Amino acid sequence: MNWNRLSICITRRSLSLWMMVLVVHWLTTPFAVQAADLALSTRLVWGTNREAPKGEDLKPVSPKLKSKFVNIFKWMNYYEISNKQFTFPKHAGKKTRLSPKCEIIMEIIEDDTLQVKVFGEDQLQRTVKHPLKPILKDGELFVVAGDDKDSFGDAWFLVIAHPNIDEETEEKK
Amino acid sequence: MNEALAIRIQAYLDGELSREASEQLLADLDSNVEGRELLAALQAENALLSSVSEKEYPLPVVHGYFWKGIAEGIARETGSQGLSHHRPAVEPWKRWLSWLLPAAGAACVALVGIQQGWINGASGKMSGDGDRSKLRRAPSFHEVDSRQQNAGFISFRSESEGVSVVWISND
């Protein structure tokens, strides 16, 4: 037997195996990441253990979001201050005002990373970066949160997720 | 009888004496009857034993060893070039196979793991007032820049709920 020929044959098989691995990886990459436009939803949520103040029209968050938050955080009631859905080009920034005091700028930077600039009272407070790919998965949430300065013991939550997160819940039901 | 003479006779029968020593012994035995009788008795005993001893038979050669013997004979005649020609061809094959297959397997497992989020993910979740044993930090998951000095933050992930959190403190 020609051992040299055999070793070359095995090397070719190994290269074929690596090529196959790369193809599988490419095929399993979510198509949403490869899309040019990006669809996201942002919600500003208030978390408290108290009931909603009388006179204020506060809408409770969806049951799916509440079940997630109750399992993670200590607050029992979550109210939606604002909920916005939008589509924007991947490499163009998107500026959105979520409340009179809160404004955010979302931008996709290198390596499909989502960069969120959080403004409070028109002052840049934080810049947060997070990989985009997990956010686009079904049911995945990216949450930026903090204590509520104006209401002791309460908290605010900026929820960034796939726009259809609530619709998927209804379909499953 | 002289013990030294008996030893010489035994050595003679075993073929251990030189030619001169054998002639000397035979000359000595001409004048020694007892020695001649001992020599005759030992020769008779040897003849008797040789007639009843087991015969030697050659073992049958296994077919594979037979051809291997021929190949080795050819290799010996043509020098050691035959063997040295084969060995380097076999070793690269084993070397390739020994690391490529495990490496390919590990790469596939790692790829699937990354794809499914097993490697960066954590299976714990934080509940209520902070069950620290279930809380896990998401390694290198978030980066936070702050304009405020002394501003603290923690980042964690609940794998069960699929929620990544960056918690910013107001301190």
Side-chain angles (χ1 to χ4, degrees), chain A residues 3 10 14 17 21 25 28 68 71-72 74-75 125-131 140-147, chain B residues 89 93 100 104 108 111 115 126-128 141-145 148 157 161-162 164-170:
Chain A
W3 293 105
I10 289 170
S14 303
L17 188 65
V21 167
H25 180 251
T28 52
K68 283 177 178 284
N71 284 335
I72 298 172
K74 65 180 180 181
W75 295 276
Q125 300 297 322
R126 298 288 193 280
T127 302
V128 184
K129 295 172 188 171
H130 186 281
E140 287 281 329
L141 302 178
F142 175 43
V143 178
V144 183
D147 296 317
Chain B
W93 172 69
L100 269 178
C108 287
L111 202 60
Q115 198 71 36
M126 190 179 86
S127 61
F141 217 71
H142 312 281
E143 289 181 36
V144 178
D145 298 333
Q148 297 179 353
R157 174 169 173 79
E161 301 298 331
S164 301
V165 181
V166 177
W167 189 273
I168 299 166
S169 74
N170 292 326

Side-chain angles (χ1 to χ4, degrees), chain A residues 36-115:
Chain A
D37 289 346
L38 184 63
L40 286 175
S41 71
T42 56
R43 297 149 203 250
L44 188 62
V45 174
W46 174 49
T48 181
N49 283 328
R50 294 173 288 166
E51 294 300 322
K54 290 180 180 177
E56 289 189 29
D57 188 18
L58 289 174
K59 178 188 168 188
V61 297
S62 65
K64 182 177 182 181
L65 188 59
K66 184 176 180 180
S67 69
K68 283 177 178 284
F69 274 25
V70 165
N71 284 335
I72 298 172
F73 304 111
K74 65 180 180 181
W75 295 276
M76 297 307 297
N77 300 319
Y78 297 90
Y79 299 102
E80 203 170 81
I81 307 296
S82 67
N83 182 353
K84 293 191 175 182
Q85 299 181 8
F86 41 79
T87 303
F88 61 97
K90 269 182 96 174
H91 296 286
K94 179 68 179 176
K95 189 174 183 179
T96 307
R97 181 166 289 278
L98 298 171
S99 76
K101 288 185 178 179
C102 179
E103 192 177 34
I104 62 170
I105 295 176
M106 291 191 294
E107 208 175 351
I108 306 299
I109 56 174
E110 70 278 357
D111 298 332
D112 274 338
T113 300
L114 175 67
Q115 176 178 275

Side-chain angles (χ1 to χ4, degrees), chain A residues 123-137:
Chain A
Q123 295 288 320
L124 177 62
Q125 300 297 322
R126 298 288 193 280
T127 302
V128 184
K129 295 172 188 171
H130 186 281
L132 177 64
K133 194 172 159 185
I135 300 172
L136 299 177
K137 286 183 182 173

Side-chain angles (χ1 to χ4, degrees), chain B residues 2-3 18 22 31 58 86 96 111 115 137 140 150 153 158:
Chain B
N2 188 354
E3 187 177 354
S18 62
S22 298
S31 58
H86 278 81
W96 276 103
L111 202 60
Q115 198 71 36
R137 281 184 175 277
S140 302
N150 302 322
F153 64 88
S158 170

